[in-house]
Amino acid sequence: MNSENIHSDADQPCSNAPEEGAERPGHFAAMQENLRSPEDRIRMLEQKLVEQAEQLTASNLAVQQNIEALKKSKQRLREREARLNSIFNAASEGIIMIDRKGIVVTANAAVKAILGYAEEELIGGNISLLMAPDHAVKHDRYIQNHIDTGISKIIGSVREVEGLHKGGWTVPLDLSLAKFFIDGEIFFTGLLRDIRQRKLQEKENREHLEELAHVTRLSLMGEMASGIAHEVNQPLTAIVAYTEVCVSLLMSPNPDHVKLAGILAKTNQQALRAGQIIHRMRDFVRSKTTSRTSASINQVVKDCIGLCSTEIKLQNILFCLELAENLPLVYINEVQIEQVLLNLLRNAIDAMHDLPVDRPRRLVLCTQLDDRQHIEITVKDSGPGISDADRAKIMTPFYTTKKNGMGMGLSISRSLVEAHHGTIRFNSQDGNGCTFYVTLPPKELVNEF
Ligand code: ADP
């Protein structure tokens, strides 16, 4: 029987018939085996056993090597985790991880130092526990917005927020957020930096500047005293004239009572005006308060001009006032903003003081809305302007080009304007006049800051 016969036998139909050709070599080998002697078969079996044992030993070795490699990588992971944990807990910034619903997943030791809660008190609870109520609402909205739209207002930026300490008080914080994914689920990591010290420093700086502003006000007052004396003198002169008329009317045989009453009313008005000037002067010198009220910027501008109109006239300055109508109200400390505008007006007047006689002296003061719908006040003069070299210096404290200047006016003005969430800038070309721009937000927007 040759191999082909065997082949055809194997093809006979049978209930367990293998697919064509699938078992033929095995079948053939089995038949060959049957032909071998028992010793041969034992030898072959032993040979097979040796081969299998070798295979098993090799695969056992491979498994052992795999286990070793796994152990090593597990060890490396443990070391890495220990290193990260030590960084996590040694960080002076608080680190908190939350899920998409704001549930705390983990928090480091610094969180306890900053906000009083230990990690175990936070895990599983909502992050809003650590926030002032109004911020908690905003935070939930920001996170949801980010998940819904993918647009990020808070991811990647640092914002100042107020944390809520376990003891019930608020703590100013810098908060930065990052997001990450585990198995497609979004998580957020928040980094909290305690900024109490910085805030304290800022407060001290502000108080220091206020102190300086007070000193400057006093020195400005000295310079303006003559102008104000002139202002007060005008109503006093009018009062003298009116009372003289009243006396002569009363001395006449038939005093005209109606006329008399009219003149007395005018006298009363002038006395009130003199009183207002004195009051304003007193507030200006004494005021250290930072209380704010709603005000019309045009009215504040007019009050300032009243304080330096004499100076403007004396220096033959052509003055132009362009006030936009229907401007929204501002929310300001009037005395401080008056101080800013007076300083700009005084600088403009000083700048034109030494102009040659044939050069026009023009001072333009405008109010208008800028393209952000903030109120903009411009003070423009036709003086010598500011040289390239001076441009970078004039806003810095104690820089002055005046013989009797203090160099504090502009830096104080800037801190006052910025404390009102406004801006101050200037535009000038050497020899070509100078324009200062002050912007202030309208009252309705102040709450947003
Ligand atoms: P001070 O008036 O005491 O010098 P400021 O801080 O108000 O202090 O001004 C600083 C400097 O800025 C001034 O000395 C002057 O050189 C320059 N400066 C300010 N305003 C003008 C202006 N309108 N034109 C030219 N220079 C100006």
Side-chain angles (χ1 to χ4, degrees), residues 72-242:
K72 275 190 185 149
S73 81
K74 215 171 162 185
Q75 175 66 17
R76 274 200 300 273
L77 268 177
R78 262 202 300 271
E79 282 171 12
R80 196 160 168 253
E81 196 181 328
R83 270 200 302 273
L84 285 177
N85 264 341
S86 82
I87 297 172
F88 185 67
N89 281 319
S92 57
E93 274 97 2
I95 305 172
I96 302 182
M97 286 166 202
I98 56 169
D99 67 10
R100 61 183 297 133
K101 294 212 168 86
I103 302 299
V104 177
V105 180
T106 176
N108 72 346
V111 174
K112 181 160 192 215
I114 300 173
L115 294 169
Y117 290 97
E119 185 185 18
E120 53 276 15
E121 293 175 90
L122 294 173
I123 289 181
N126 199 288
I127 188 74
S128 57
L129 182 72
L130 302 178
M131 296 173 188
D134 55 335
H135 182 66
V137 175
K138 276 191 204 160
H139 184 268
D140 286 351
R141 208 173 51 223
Y142 286 149
I143 295 269
Q144 198 50 53
N145 268 355
H146 178 71
I147 292 170
D148 292 347
T149 63
I151 298 167
S152 172
K153 244 187 171 181
I154 49 169
I155 307 288
S157 61
V158 181
R159 290 177 318 120
E160 271 189 25
V161 297
E162 294 223 303
L164 196 59
H165 193 276
K166 192 177 175 185
W169 57 86
T170 54
V171 181
L173 301 168
D174 264 353
L175 168 70
S176 47
L177 271 188
K179 63 176 173 182
F180 63 98
F181 294 89
I182 298 178
D183 294 336
E185 263 300 306
I186 194 166
F187 289 85
F188 298 91
T189 304
L191 217 74
L192 312 175
R193 179 172 297 146
D194 184 345
I195 54 169
R196 270 176 286 193
Q197 201 54 39
R198 190 177 86 202
K199 286 274 156 194
L200 203 69
Q201 187 64 48
E202 281 173 5
K203 186 169 169 267
E204 276 173 17
N205 289 349
R206 260 200 314 276
E207 279 169 7
H208 186 59
L209 269 179
E210 248 177 54
E211 209 45 56
L212 281 172
H214 183 61
V215 173
T216 314
R217 268 201 294 277
L218 287 175
S219 86
L220 267 175
M221 271 317 290
E223 288 180 46
M224 285 190 313
S226 59
I228 288 167
H230 182 268
E231 283 283 307
V232 179
N233 212 27
Q234 278 180 344
L236 287 181
T237 314
I239 290 168
V240 171
Y242 287 143

Side-chain angles (χ1 to χ4, degrees), residues 343 347 351 381 385-386 394 399-402 405-407 409-410 436:
N343 188 57
N347 278 346
D381 64 64
I386 298 169
I394 63 161
Y399 180 78
T400 180
T401 53
K402 299 175 193 170
M406 273 181 76
L410 288 176
F436 274 85

